[in-house]
Amino acid sequence: MIIAGGREAALSSADANLVDIAAGVLGDEQGTHGYTYSGLCLTALPHRRIPDDQAWERVGHKMRLVVEPGRLQIGDHLRLFGVPYGARARMILIYLITQAVRTNSREIALGRSMRAWLEAMGVSVGGETAKAFREQAMRIAACSMKFFWEAEGGAAGFDKGGVVRRGLIFDDNDDRPLPRLFDEAVILDEVFYHTARQHPVPLLDAAVRHLRDRSMSLDIYVWLAYRLHALAKPMPVSWTALHAQFGGGFKEPRFFRRPFLEALTVALAAYPDARVEIANSGAGVILHPSRPPIGKLLDS
């Protein structure tokens, strides 16, 4: 409808938020893209905060993610940081992986101020936004994030599990809305860097920007970006499998279905070429072979 008659024509019979997302993606003239790691397309971080001393585990298609909280030396104190969560954590990881792939380097320049870093991510600068990104950045710096996948002859996985070797730490004594970074660059963990560099998944920047406040929709978008273009035929995915991958915080699949379908609708608005069908009789969804979100799959 947007292509045929423009945004105003689509607004007559569709939700304004969905129309704006789809119109923003379809009207993006730059077509720039970023990257994520394939393991983050098959598993997911928490959507909401969990107790700081609690580990996190999710299971996706032939992939398992285990995230454990960690400690950082902040001034004279050793402080516990819980598992990263929410849309902000996802945005940070996409940014770090994108820069690592683009520069072919473990060292990622952030700039001296948080303002410079947020602007580089395309995020509007504000007090609450900066505070949220600061908290999630330090959780990512402190945590252990391990991926385990099925391989020939058994299972394989990360042997260390860090994301950041050095950096991404803010001055705890800096009370300004946009505090300074101790280091102007981040050094990624060697294992994380090489694995992400070997298995990058292209994402359309415009889509990521429009989903930056919606953690489940962002998870679904990167999942579809990874899965759909590789399919040779339609593939059903049960509610049990969907709940295992995306349903952190929902005890049972039946409580998860409505939020998932709402988030799926938003993700599909950001991925117009995606072909996803809701299965009959409440059996889950059916994924159909589709073009990748950037129009063609880039060589890594």
Side-chain angles (χ1 to χ4, degrees):
M1 292 178 66
I2 294 171
I3 294 173
R7 178 181 179 277
E8 296 304 320
L11 282 173
S12 63
S13 60
D15 179 89
N17 288 330
L18 299 179
V19 172
D20 286 341
I21 292 172
V25 171
L26 290 169
D28 177 54
E29 296 181 354
Q30 295 181 340
T32 56
H33 61 274
Y35 297 92
T36 188
Y37 164 52
S38 59
L40 290 169
C41 299
L42 297 172
T43 56
L45 293 172
H47 299 296
R48 300 178 180 84
R49 183 172 183 168
I50 63 175
D52 284 349
D53 60 350
Q54 182 176 314
W56 174 260
E57 183 174 344
R58 299 311 294 172
V59 178
H61 180 70
K62 299 183 179 181
M63 177 73 70
R64 179 184 300 272
L65 168 66
V66 178
V67 188
E68 297 177 340
R71 288 178 167 81
L72 293 175
Q73 184 75 33
I74 308 295
D76 297 330
H77 304 285
L78 193 62
R79 179 180 163 190
L80 174 68
F81 287 89
V83 169
Y85 64 91
R88 308 304 186 200
R90 289 157 169 80
M91 289 290 290
I92 292 170
L93 288 169
I94 289 173
Y95 179 80
L96 294 177
I97 294 168
T98 296
Q99 296 306 311
V101 173
R102 286 177 179 173
T103 64
N104 197 28
S105 173
R106 291 171 57 200
E107 183 171 339
I108 299 167
L110 299 179
R112 189 58 175 166
S113 70
M114 190 172 189
R115 177 182 295 275
W117 182 40
L118 292 179
E119 289 176 348
M121 284 194 290
V123 175
S124 58
V125 177
E128 289 302 316
T129 299
K131 182 179 179 181
F133 270 95
R134 170 182 175 173
E135 173 68 19
Q136 296 306 318
M138 296 180 78
R139 286 171 176 259
I140 289 171
C143 79
S144 164
M145 186 179 295
K146 298 180 181 179
F147 294 88
F148 302 90
W149 56 89
E150 293 183 15
E152 292 185 12
F158 281 25
D159 59 351
K160 294 182 180 179
V163 176
V164 173
R165 178 63 62 87
R166 192 186 74 205
L168 215 61
I169 301 175
F170 292 86
D171 186 348
D172 230 23
N173 296 317
D174 191 340
D175 295 327
R176 293 175 297 177
L178 295 169
R180 70 181 181 91
L181 288 152
F182 278 125
D183 297 297
E184 296 183 23
V186 172
I187 307 297
L188 296 183
D189 176 82
E190 186 173 3
V191 175
F192 181 84
Y193 163 73
H194 284 297
T195 307
R197 183 68 185 81
Q198 291 168 5
H199 304 282
V201 177
L203 309 172
L204 192 65
D205 282 344
V208 173
R209 286 197 306 270
H210 280 89
L211 301 178
R212 64 178 177 263
D213 296 319
R214 305 169 183 264
S215 63
M216 189 181 295
S217 293
L218 194 52
D219 285 345
I220 295 170
Y221 172 79
V222 300
W223 173 59
L224 296 177
Y226 177 67
R227 295 303 305 274
L228 294 184
H229 74 87
L231 295 176
K233 61 182 181 179
M235 184 185 74
V237 184
S238 69
W239 279 113
T240 299
L242 292 170
H243 177 257
Q245 181 172 342
F246 300 105
F250 298 90
K251 292 184 178 180
E252 297 181 29
R254 61 192 178 100
F255 299 125
F256 160 73
R257 293 181 186 182
R258 182 173 178 178
F260 176 84
L261 291 174
E262 292 173 351
L264 173 64
T265 301
V266 174
L268 292 176
Y271 188 172
D273 287 324
R275 298 174 56 219
V276 180
E277 175 186 355
I278 309 303
N280 294 327
S281 304
V285 300
I286 301 174
L287 306 182
H288 293 268
S290 308
R291 294 176 62 199
I294 58 168
K296 63 179 181 178
L297 189 61
L298 299 178
D299 294 331
S300 60

